[in-house]
Amino acid sequence: MVVRRLFRDSAHLVRPALVLVACMALFLVVRSAIIPKAFGQYGHYRPGALDLVRQHPIAFAGQDTCVMCHDDQATVRAAGKHAHVACEACHGPLAQHADDPAAHVPKLPDVADLCRRCHEKDAAKPRNFPQVATAEHSSGMACNTCHQPHNPHL
Amino acid sequence: MDISRRDIFTVGGKLLILASVGATLKQITGAEPPSDAYRLADHWWGMIIDIDKCIGCGNCVRACSKENNVPEGFFRTWVERYQIEDQIKEVKQPRVESPNGAIDGFPPLAPIDGKSFYVPKLCNHCADSPCVQVCPVGATFVSPDGVVLVDQTYCLGCRYCVQACPYGCRYLHPETQTVDKCTLCYHRITKGLTTACCENCPTGARLLVDFKNPKDPVHEILRTNKVQVLKPYMATGAKVYYENLDGAVR
């Protein structure tokens, strides 16, 4: 028979073929053991990485959270030019305060440094943005002597 | 025992059918339901930055640093100040500075003979990102909602992606020795918050946008404003759009 003669002529190839098959099987077993199950679900990466990144803790609670309790300050601010400046832009990250207000009491920001960051006169700033040369403008007085930070208009 | 060609084809055919049925069943039953309300397929994140609103206060840099525990001396976002002098007499290179990434803002600038402005920069979250293409181990990728992220458990720290990024947005974290970058505050935007930099921008120069949300203001802004991305000739599919961007910005 043709098949039998073919087999007899190529008998010396059987053992290397078995070794090859064994190696391929070993490769497949190891591969399936070390590659995470869901790898490639969305692309050439581990989808679990998305959850890993999402687990990072939040530091800035966000505008809406602040206003839930501090609606009085929010009302004052809404009437002035700082209406669209978020609370934490000046007061710093306060997610911990939002979680437990008693345990994390925020400090008041340092007005001398704070106002200048935005309002110091600078040629690179947009022309319509209110700027002052603080040294000439207030002669060393703190900004909040005259301006109320939540609604700075005099 | 004789094996005929007919036998091979019958057995082979049956095996093929069995295998395909098995694969189909796995396809149908294998997909797990999402764990919460956030659906990856419903979002395609990006950002719009209006140069004419940026005052160079550095609030975004400080906020990013605090939100993401960015190591000192490294930046996921930073602000540059461009000074372009009048070029009538001679052609000059623009002067670009970013002292310590502008984490403490900028020293005041006296008026110059020309124009000057601030440019906030961050990862452009490219749709066809060069950094993703060069990663040899699948550690960096574009997520289904359009954010370029790094799998910290897979990254080898080979720095191919640091070199590939045309915008210089990646760095090697000095402690973990893996590559770190802007995540577009993925832990915030997937929970309904905006990014730390957008939250803390006092003038609204930065705006997080979702291109897949038909009610997002991005569609109106792109329709009615002159916008540009950085290095458009690199064809990276950058999703951080700039309004009022000067041609000198690289």
Side-chain angles (χ1 to χ4, degrees):
Chain A
M1 292 296 293
V2 178
V3 174
R4 188 167 291 172
R5 198 173 65 230
L6 198 70
F7 186 76
R8 192 183 60 223
D9 289 349
S10 54
H12 64 289
L13 292 177
V14 169
R15 271 198 271 182
L18 283 177
V19 172
L20 185 68
V21 168
C23 286
M24 283 166 70
L26 185 70
F27 171 75
L28 288 175
V29 168
V30 171
R31 186 174 181 271
S32 67
I34 58 177
I35 292 183
K37 285 255 167 3
F39 193 95
Q41 187 184 347
Y42 301 130
H44 188 71
Y45 59 92
R46 192 175 62 94
L50 294 174
D51 293 325
L52 197 71
V53 178
R54 286 185 71 183
Q55 280 166 14
H56 190 83
I58 288 172
F60 288 89
Q63 187 53 35
D64 300 341
T65 312
C66 307
V67 173
M68 270 184 214
C69 300
H70 301 283
D71 53 342
D72 47 342
Q73 274 95 337
T75 317
V76 174
R77 193 189 53 177
K81 285 235 177 169
H82 282 168
H84 299 294
V85 181
C87 307
E88 287 164 310
C90 299
H91 291 277
L94 291 171
Q96 287 184 324
H97 170 71
D99 288 341
D100 189 353
H104 296 92
V105 183
K107 274 188 275 183
L108 271 180
D110 180 13
V111 176
D113 196 32
L114 188 75
C115 305
R116 282 177 51 194
R117 272 183 198 156
C118 293
H119 293 289
E120 185 68 60
K121 193 158 183 60
D122 183 340
K125 282 178 185 170
R127 289 206 171 69
N128 55 2
F129 184 77
Q131 305 159 50
V132 289
T134 42
E136 303 162 15
H137 177 78
S138 63
S139 61
M141 277 202 294
C143 306
N144 61 351
T145 320
C146 304
H147 301 277
Q148 205 273 75
H150 287 151
N151 184 356
H153 191 71
L154 289 177
Chain B
M1 177 194 147
D2 287 350
I3 303 169
S4 67
R5 187 183 293 180
R6 179 182 291 270
D7 290 340
I8 289 173
F9 278 124
T10 357
V11 175
K14 281 175 188 165
L15 280 175
L16 199 67
I17 290 166
L18 270 177
S20 55
V21 167
T24 318
L25 275 176
K26 192 160 183 288
Q27 281 282 318
I28 294 168
T29 56
E32 287 174 18
S35 55
D36 56 48
Y38 182 78
R39 279 170 50 85
L40 290 166
D42 290 350
H43 305 276
W44 190 248
W45 298 107
M47 195 178 278
I48 290 193
I49 296 175
D50 190 347
I51 300 290
D52 279 358
K53 286 184 185 167
C54 182
I55 57 170
C57 63
N59 246 14
C60 47
V61 187
R62 285 187 293 277
C64 175
S65 177
K66 284 173 188 161
E67 177 74 37
N68 298 298
N69 306 323
V70 179
E72 204 182 328
F74 296 88
F75 305 99
R76 291 185 180 192
T77 183
W78 67 98
V79 185
E80 294 171 359
R81 177 160 68 190
Y82 275 69
Q83 297 173 48
I84 304 165
E85 286 185 42
D86 199 344
Q87 312 234 340
I88 291 172
K89 286 172 199 155
E90 55 173 323
V91 177
K92 286 180 185 168
Q93 289 294 321
R95 184 177 143 82
V96 188
E97 55 188 345
S98 182
N100 206 9
I103 198 160
D104 300 312
F106 287 84
L109 177 72
I112 61 163
D113 186 17
K115 55 188 170 183
S116 54
F117 49 86
Y118 292 106
V119 183
K121 288 192 173 173
L122 73 160
C123 169
N124 287 260
H125 293 283
C126 310
D128 307 307
S129 182
C131 58
V132 171
Q133 290 167 33
V134 299
C135 181
V137 293
T140 189
F141 52 90
V142 184
S143 73
D145 41 358
V147 182
V148 178
L149 295 171
V150 178
D151 185 347
Q152 299 291 343
T153 58
Y154 263 38
C155 179
L156 301 170
C158 72
R159 303 177 178 89
Y160 273 140
C161 57
V162 178
Q163 292 185 38
C165 176
Y167 307 104
C169 295
R170 288 168 166 258
Y171 59 89
L172 198 76
H173 195 291
E175 280 165 35
T176 60
Q177 292 292 310
T178 53
V179 166
D180 209 16
K181 68 177 286 297
C182 164
T183 61
L184 206 63
C185 283
Y186 198 66
H187 60 292
R188 295 174 63 88
I189 62 174
T190 53
K191 290 166 193 152
L193 294 165
T194 185
T195 66
C197 55
C198 292
E199 171 77 28
N200 286 290
C201 180
T203 60
R206 287 167 177 254
L207 183 65
L208 175 78
V209 296
D210 181 359
F211 294 96
K212 275 195 185 170
N213 178 1
K215 289 177 183 162
D216 198 289
V218 61
H219 306 294
E220 181 67 20
I221 293 171
L222 292 183
R223 251 201 317 271
T224 54
N225 284 274
K226 299 176 182 73
V227 293
Q228 180 61 287
V229 294
L230 293 178
K231 301 188 181 177
Y233 47 87
M234 300 289 287
T236 56
K239 297 206 300 301
V240 173
Y241 286 86
Y242 286 85
E243 287 176 63
N244 307 306
L245 186 75
D246 192 272
V249 178
R250 288 286 175 270

